[in-house]
Structures are given as structure tokens and as C-alpha cells.
Amino acid sequence: MSALTREESEALIQEVLEVYPEKAKKDRAKHLAVNDKSIEQSKKCITSNRKSLPGVMTIRGCAYAGSKGVVWGPIKDMIHISHGPVGCGQYSRAGRRNYYVGTTGVNTFGTMNFTSDFQEKDIVFGGDKKLAKVMVEIEGLFPLNKGISIQSECPIGLIGDDIEAVAKKTAVETGKPVVPVRCEGFRGVSQSLGHHIANDAIRDWVLPRREGKAFEGTPYDVAVIGDYNIGGDAWSSRILLEEMGLRVVAQWSGDGTIAEMEKTPYVKVNLIHCYRSMNYIARHMEEKYNIPWMEYNFFGPTKVAESLRAIAALFDDKIKEGAERVIAKYQPLMQAVIDKYKPRLQGKRVMLYVGGLRPRHVIGAYEDLGMEVVGTGYEFGHGDDYDRTIKDMGNATLLYDDVTGFEFEEFVKRVKPDLVGSGIKEKFIFQKMGVPFRQMHSWDYSGPYHGYDGFAIFARDMDMTLNNPCWGKMQAPWLKKAEPEEAKKAA
Amino acid sequence: MANIMIQRGSKGEYVFYLPKRDLEDGIVSMEFDTPEKWGGEIKLNNGGCYYIEPQPAPARLPISLRAKRLDAAE
Ligand code: SF4
């Protein structure tokens, strides 16, 4: 099926909106748009970062998810207490597949769940004492931890516990950092505010810890910010930076440590991958420590090369040569990947609905394979995300913000993409509809997808999903119409 | 009063950032823009309008400031 025209896309949005009651319709209409590359400012066509409509199926998470799950969770040598009832932490445990090296339970704690397991009496009488006790226990059981963060769940804010006071007291007793994070799930409209709160906690409780201490720097120090090492993403990014001659001082926060974070104010440039979740801290470091930051994109060879050159441009000729060397080294390898998979994927159309940076960042990788992204949207994007997206998407493609389950299904039914990339909650719906699907939050148990090495895996995965023979078997054999005679003979 | 941040965009223009609402926008005009006197009324691309106390121009950007909202867009 050929792409929809602008009129068809607009008509489709209207048609989908038809089912809503008047007020809901008005609200949702602002979040759906047909892309127009000539628009400079996204707010002229799409509204974002608003409260989800009650009663619809939204795919968003909560502020606690943004802080514990995304920003703090991957810091491997700290223990992150899910402070409150057990469920929030347990049901999201290790779901993001942030890889790390270390011995879990000894010096790293990434996939473990620590919780203060609130009961009724803690809600009634307050949980401060319990929190202090939990931290003493942690010190006894896991003495190699490098610090603790307290991730508040909803009840903590509701009953008004003073976790800051407990944190300060415990920090004095143990001599390790204890960071209280006020990321109660009810704050904000999505996980996005949780990212912001987590960034602010890092700003206030982590970054000042090494101020004024000696640091042996080089002119090539950089920090990788906003890479959560999902399936090893940060590793496949880091080797490229190191190969071109840079020194990666810190990884935020995939496979990261608190020591790395504390050292970040000494780097020369902050390189940001996920702008949405960590731009706040980059802005802060720019103001306070005079560290410039830049966004880069390591999805697909075209964007990787572009980004490597842009990063190198901030440094001297040695690094610029390094970048060219790296690009030249991987070019034939990437060409081989493209030669292999492009013929199998050429012309296929993709619809995305993810969070963070991916709705725009992965477009380049699909284009490298000759595929086209015909619809994209953010779970929790803000205006500045859409500003950046409009330029990357083709004209007359669909943009949907905080799309509801119903809208997404209808869009897919009509646009008939060859592949849908979204989260686990959408996966089985679309697979049952017979649409090839990739889970693009944690790479469907695959990855890494970043960098040159990641692209080879990305291409293989897309091919594996799209050209899987199962999609031809969606109909029960006895319901199939008899094959025409010639086809049988040819076979 | 709101905490805001003013920084330079890629083309050297001023960019306004309001962390509380995560509003990032270009500044189209600033009342005073000389080394001695800097600030005053600032107009944003989206039609919003803020006031920062006129002051000597900051030595470097970005800078966090307190600003009064005169007229918010939306
Ligand atoms: S909204 Fe509250 S209760 Fe629900 S997962 Fe988030 S922190 Fe836990």
C-alpha cells in the first residue's frame, strides 16, 4: 500500500477521533497531527506533556519509574531502595535490561530489588524508623555498596515522611552518600517529571561531592550522558569514542558508578544521547562548570558517522583524524550489512511509538536499510522533542503524542505498516493482528542497537521479524482458499 | 516569579528555558542588550513575555535568573 496523502491522514485522524465524547475529542485532537516539515515550532501542530485523559489506555509510566527505573536504577554500585510498598519495585525489577559488569549482590546491585515493604502500620505511624533500619541492614549485608538512594513511592509523599532527615543522619553514620529522591509516582503527568526530579537529586546530592578535589584530566575527557546500556548499548557506543581518541570518564547511567558521576564536572564535553531524560543535568553543568554539551545519535551508520564528525569538530585535529579513521574502518563492514539486508527490507514501512529519544533517533537506522517511518510518537515527549522530530519525519506522516490504545490500533489498521515498534504492552495485540512487531524499549531481549556493532544486530533483528515465515500462517489452513492450479505447478 | 535560564542557541541567539514547565524557546527580543545594561522585558517566540531585572550583562551564558511573567502564551 502506498503512503497516505496529507488529506487521507487528516481524514484518518478525524475518523479515529469520532468515537470520543465531545470534550475528550477536543483534547485528543491536539495530540494528533500530520507532519509538515515547514513548521518551525511543534506547538503549532501538536500538544504534548499534558495529563492523559481519564478512561483511555495510556502507555505512560509514573515519576517513580522515571527516577528509579530510568535514571538511578542503572547506577550499579549503589543500592536503590524502592521506599514504600513492595509492588512498584518488584513488578518493574530488571525490566529494562541495563547491562553491567560486576558481581550482583556483592559489589553491584543492578538487578536486585530493595524495598522498605510498607505495611499498614508504616502508613499510619510513618516509615522513617523503618527506613533507617533498612539502611543499617543494607550496610551489614552489602558492605561493598558505594551509597544508597531512596526512591519514594506514592505513599511517602502522601503521608509526608521526612526522608531527607533520615538520609542526612544515615550518611553521617555510614560515611557514604545517601540520596533522598522525591519521585513519588503521582508527581507530574508521566515518567518525564521523574527524570527531572532524579536529575535535580544528582545535581544537589552527587555532583558537589568531589568539588575542589584533585583530578588528573586530559584534554579529551568526555562523559556519555543518557545512555542506559540497554542490551549493551553504552558499550558499543563507548568503544567508538575511545577508538577515535577520546577518554570516556563517565557513563550516565548504564553500567555507571557513583564515582564516575562525581567526576563528570571535570570533563570537557558532555555527550548526550537521551536528551529527554538528562538534558536537565547537562544544562546545569553547562551553567555551573562551563561544560558544553551536544546531542548525538548512534543509530545507523549514517547518523553514527555524522555524530562522530560533529563530536570530533569540538576537538583538535588528532580527534578529527581519529573519527575519520573509525568511520573508514567500519564503512566496509556496514556496507556488507546493508548489502545483505537492504534488499530484504527495502520499501517496508514502520510505525513507532516509544519514549525518550527513539521516536526520532532510530529513523536514520531504518532509512539506512531502505525502510520508511510513516508514523511516530512519544509517550512522554515535550515540545522540544517534537521540534526536533518534525525535521526528521517525512511530510504527511502521522505524529501522535501519548497515543491511546484505541487510536494506535486504528492507525495501524488503516496505515497498514509492515512493522510496528513499540512496547511490551502493545506487542501481543499487534502480533495477534498479524502485524510484525519489535519491542523497542529494551530491544526485544536483543541488542545492543547503538553504534556500528549495534546496527548489524538491528538489521538482523528487523529482518528476522519482518520476514519471519509465521506471518504467512495467520490463517488456519482449512480456511484458506484453494491455490490456483498454476501456482501449485510452479511450486 | 519563576526561575529561568538563558543560554545561547546554535546560531548565537538567546534561548529561554523555564525548567518548571520544561519550556524551551527562542528569545525574539530583549529590551536591553548592552554590556552595562542587560535584561528588561523579553519576548519569546511563542508570544510569551517575561521581565528580568536589568543588570550588567553576564560574563557567560547560560545563567539562571528570576523572572516575572508578564504574559504567558497558551
Ligand atoms: S504510581 Fe505510585 S504506586 Fe504506582 S508504581 Fe508509581 S510510585 Fe508505585
Side-chain angles (χ1 to χ4, degrees), chain A residues 344-358:
Chain A
R344 299 169 62 84
L345 297 168
Q346 181 94 39
K348 301 285 190 204
R349 295 150 69 246
V350 189
M351 273 176 94
L352 298 169
Y353 178 65
V354 258
L357 70 163
R358 292 170 184 154

Side-chain angles (χ1 to χ4, degrees), chain A residues 168-233:
Chain A
K168 278 189 189 135
K169 201 166 143 262
T170 315
V172 172
E173 281 162 17
T174 62
K176 291 177 186 172
V178 180
V179 184
V181 191
R182 283 274 171 203
C183 55
E184 287 88 352
F186 56 74
R187 291 184 202 277
V189 298
S190 66
Q191 54 266 64
S192 186
L193 191 71
H195 305 142
H196 199 159
I197 293 169
N199 277 238
D200 288 354
I202 295 175
R203 175 193 71 197
D204 297 340
W205 296 82
V206 177
L207 290 188
R209 289 175 52 83
R210 263 181 216 239
E211 255 167 36
K213 295 231 178 95
F215 178 80
E216 228 171 278
T218 73
Y220 305 120
D221 289 352
V222 295
V224 172
I225 303 229
D227 193 322
Y228 301 105
N229 205 26
I230 290 165
D233 278 344

Side-chain angles (χ1 to χ4, degrees), chain A residues 41 43-44 47 49-50 192-193 196 275-276 279-280 283-284 286-291 293 382-384 387-388, chain B residues 4-5 7-8 15-26 45-47 60-65 73-74:
Chain A
Q41 274 195 305
K43 54 177 84 65
K44 298 221 167 71
T47 311
N49 200 28
R50 290 281 183 283
S192 186
L193 191 71
H196 199 159
Y275 169 85
R276 179 72 277 130
N279 76 78
Y280 317 102
R283 287 175 204 274
H284 167 73
E286 183 180 27
E287 181 175 12
K288 186 156 176 205
Y289 306 105
N290 207 2
I291 305 171
W293 53 277
H382 296 205
D384 42 4
D387 285 347
R388 290 165 168 80
Chain B
I4 62 147
M5 190 187 249
Q7 50 203 331
R8 283 226 188 261
V15 176
F16 174 96
Y17 180 62
L18 177 60
K20 185 115 195 270
R21 297 183 52 212
D22 206 61
L23 171 75
E24 190 184 73
D25 211 341
N45 212 346
N46 68 4
R60 66 182 180 84
L61 294 174
I63 184 172
S64 287
L65 298 160
E74 294 168 73

Side-chain angles (χ1 to χ4, degrees), chain A residues 81 83 116 118 125-137 148-150 152 156 160-182 205:
Chain A
I81 303 178
H83 188 36
S116 47
F118 261 39
F125 299 108
D128 285 349
K129 283 211 187 70
K130 190 168 197 181
L131 178 62
K133 195 167 148 226
V134 167
M135 289 197 277
V136 171
E137 256 171 45
I148 292 173
S149 81
I150 305 164
S152 316
I156 308 307
D161 270 8
D162 189 0
I163 58 169
E164 283 83 5
V166 184
K168 278 189 189 135
K169 201 166 143 262
T170 315
V172 172
E173 281 162 17
T174 62
K176 291 177 186 172
V178 180
V179 184
V181 191
R182 283 274 171 203
W205 296 82

